[in-house]
Amino acid sequence: MIDPTARIDATATIAADAEIGPNVIVGAQSTIGSGTKVMANAVIGPWTTIGENNIIHFGAIVGHDPQDFGYHGEECYLVMGNGNIVREYATLHRGNRPGTTTTVGDNNFFMVQSHVAHNCIIGNSIILAGGALLAGHVEVADRAIISGNCVVHQFCRIGRFAMLRGLSRTSRDVPPFCIMDGTHTVRTLNLVGLRRNGFDPKRVRAVKNAFKTLFLSGLAMPTAVAKVEAELEVTADVQELLDFIKSAKRGVCFGKSAGVAALRCQKMSSVGSTTSPRCEEQKVSGRHRTARRTFAAKYRPRDSKWFRATRMPVHSGSSCSQQRASVAWDKNRNSITRQRTSRTNASNSITVD
C-alpha cells in the first residue's frame, strides 16, 4: 500500500505488500522489500536497498548522502538486511566514494536520533540507543550494545557482545565481551550479556581469566597477550579476543588499573625505596586529603551556613553605627575570635568555639 502523498521515483522498486506512509520520499534506483513499513515523512535515499520486514519510523532518513566534503554526488550505496527497526529521526548514510557501501545486517534496533555514518559495517542484533553516534568506517560486530549518547571515532571496531555505557566515548577498538566506560576504558566483562546468549560457566570462566591478565594485570598488551597464550586455556572465545587485539590498528581500550599499575612500577624501580608502593600511594592520598580540608576550613565563604552560625547577635540597646566587628583567624586554637569595639572605648572580646 502506497499513500497517494508519497513521492516515489520512477526507477524505485517497491514490493507489493510493502507499506509507504504519507509524505514519504523514495529516491532513484532504490529497493524496498516485502513486509517493510515506511512511516510518514521518512526519506529513503537513492541507491538504497532495504530488505524484508523492516520498520522505518516517522522522519527517519535511510540512505541519504554522506556527510563528507569529498563526496560530489557519485553513485554509492546503502544495503539493509531484514527485520531492522529504525526509530524517529535516526539517520543512516550511504558510502562516501564511488562504489562504496554502508552495510546493515539483520534484526538491529536504531533508536531515536542515532546516527550511522558512511561506510559503516553493522552486524546483526545490535542496539544503537538514542543519540549514539557512529563516525565513518566504524565496524560493529553482532549483539553489541551502544548506549545512549555514546560517540565512536571513525575506523574504530566494536567487538561481539561488547557494551558501551551511556555517555562514553572511544577512539580505540572496543574488545569483544567487554563493558567500556568513560574514555575508551574497559571496566569488566559483559557477564549478563554472555549468560543471556548461552555462554555456560566454563566458557565464561575462560574469558574471565584472559580478561584479568589482559586488562587488569597492568602488563603491556603484547606481554599480556603472550602470557595468556603461554599460561591460560585458549578456548575459541579467548582466541577471538586475542585475534581482535592483534588485528587492532587504532589500539585497544585499556583496563581501569593501567594508571595505578604504571605508578607502582615507577615507584618500585626508584632507587632507595624502602616502603611498598601501596604504602606510598596511601601516604600521598592522605596528604592530599589533609591539604584539601585545611584549605576548605580556612577559606570558607562568608555567606556560608558555617559563617552565619558563628556570628554574634547584636545587642538591642546598640545601633549598627555604634558597633563594628572584625574576624581574626586564631591559628593556634583553630577558632574564630570576634572583637567588638564601641565609641565609648568599651572593649569586649568574645570567643566562639
Side-chain angles (χ1 to χ4, degrees), residues 46-51 61-68 71 74-81 84 91-106 108 110 115-123 128 134-140:
W47 303 302
T48 298
T49 301
I50 298 176
I61 298 177
V62 179
H64 193 43
D65 296 348
Q67 297 179 128
D68 188 340
Y71 177 74
E74 299 88 352
E75 183 174 340
C76 47
Y77 312 99
L78 183 144
V79 177
M80 177 181 289
N84 296 284
T91 55
L92 293 82
H93 291 170
R94 304 192 314 276
N96 66 338
R97 294 293 182 269
T100 60
T101 304
T102 299
T103 304
V104 178
D106 302 330
N108 299 296
F110 302 95
H115 174 66
V116 177
H118 57 83
N119 301 93
C120 285
I121 300 176
I122 308 298
L128 193 64
L134 304 182
H137 302 273
V138 168
E139 299 180 18
V140 184

Side-chain angles (χ1 to χ4, degrees), residues 39-55:
M39 297 185 183
N41 299 306
V43 176
I44 309 301
W47 303 302
T48 298
T49 301
I50 298 176
E52 300 178 354
N53 302 315
N54 297 286
I55 302 177

